[in-house]
Each structure stands twice: as C-alpha cells, then as structure tokens.
C-alpha cells in the first residue's frame, strides 16, 4: 500500500524545544526529532491528527514570518487557549496567532 500524498509545511524556529511546547497549545504533539550530531540544529515533526508540521532550526530550510492556514473543527477552543478574539469572515471564524519565532498561523473553522 502506498502512503497517502500530503503537504507538510516547514517552519523556521530558533529553539525547537520551545516551539514544540508552543505548538502543543494548539494540540500538536511531537512525532520525532533529528540532529546530524549532538549540538547541531534540530529538525522536529509535530502532528495534530493527520495535520503535520516540520519545525527546523536549520537556517536554509524556511524563512521567518511564514503564514500557514490551519482548518480546525473548534476555533473557539483555540481562541480560549490563547486568549484571543475570534474574527467573523464570510468563509470562516478565525484567529491569527504568531509563534515564538514570528511565524503566522491563521486558524479557522469554516462557516456552514
């Protein structure tokens, strides 16, 4: 059986351990970490169900200030966890968050 195709955004982070803790607040859990040798930059995978992100300390892997859209079933729970208001748009109820490294996450629940 072939694995399913997917897109996995790579986000640049300065401190992978701190980023993993921050993303845990969004419901992401660590799936694995790789370093070429002790003391070298970390490359970490986090997942929330079938949604995956790669968090990389490697400077060439991604640019700061990236924007990722995360579609969830309950944006109100995310808003409450981060203490931010929910914006009403024609397509979704949304919040916009910034991780500790300045990456932007727009999180939304589609309007039915």
């Amino acid at each position: 059986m072939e694995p399913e195709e997917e897109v996995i955004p790579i986000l640049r982070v300065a401190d992978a351990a701190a980023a993993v803790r921050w993303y845990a607040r969004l419901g992401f859990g660590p799936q694995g970490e790789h370093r070429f040798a002790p003391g070298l930059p970390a490359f970490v995978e986090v997942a929330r169900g079938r949604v995956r992100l790669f968090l990389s300390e490697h400077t060439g892997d991604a640019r700061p200030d990236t924007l990722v859209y995360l579609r969830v079933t309950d944006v109100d729970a995310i808003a409450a966890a981060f203490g931010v208001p929910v914006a009403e748009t024609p397509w979704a109820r949304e919040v916009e968050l910034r991780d500790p490294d300045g990456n932007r996450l727009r999180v939304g629940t589609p309007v039915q």
Side-chain angles (χ1 to χ4, degrees):
M1 184 168 113
E2 290 187 40
E4 291 186 36
E5 294 180 348
E6 62 184 324
V7 172
I8 305 174
I10 300 173
L11 300 176
R12 172 77 169 92
V13 298
D15 180 339
V20 167
R21 288 189 300 274
W22 190 87
Y23 280 91
R25 293 176 63 197
L26 278 171
F28 284 87
Q31 302 298 300
E33 178 179 318
H34 177 267
R35 291 178 191 263
F36 285 104
L40 290 181
F43 190 91
V44 177
E45 179 180 344
V46 294
R48 174 190 163 114
R50 294 182 52 189
V51 177
R52 300 183 182 286
L53 296 172
F54 290 153
L55 308 175
S56 179
E57 293 177 350
H58 295 266
T59 57
D61 280 350
R63 303 181 87 137
D65 198 35
T66 296
L67 173 62
V68 173
Y69 194 94
L70 176 62
R71 186 173 286 159
V72 299
T73 57
D74 186 6
V75 72
D76 293 299
I78 302 290
F82 285 86
V84 296
V86 176
E88 303 288 338
T89 69
W91 55 88
R93 300 182 70 245
E94 296 180 336
V95 298
E96 186 160 313
L97 306 171
R98 280 196 181 264
D99 75 9
D101 296 287
N103 295 300
R104 296 176 298 143
L105 284 93
R106 198 167 293 149
V107 183
T109 299
V111 175
Q112 300 291 332

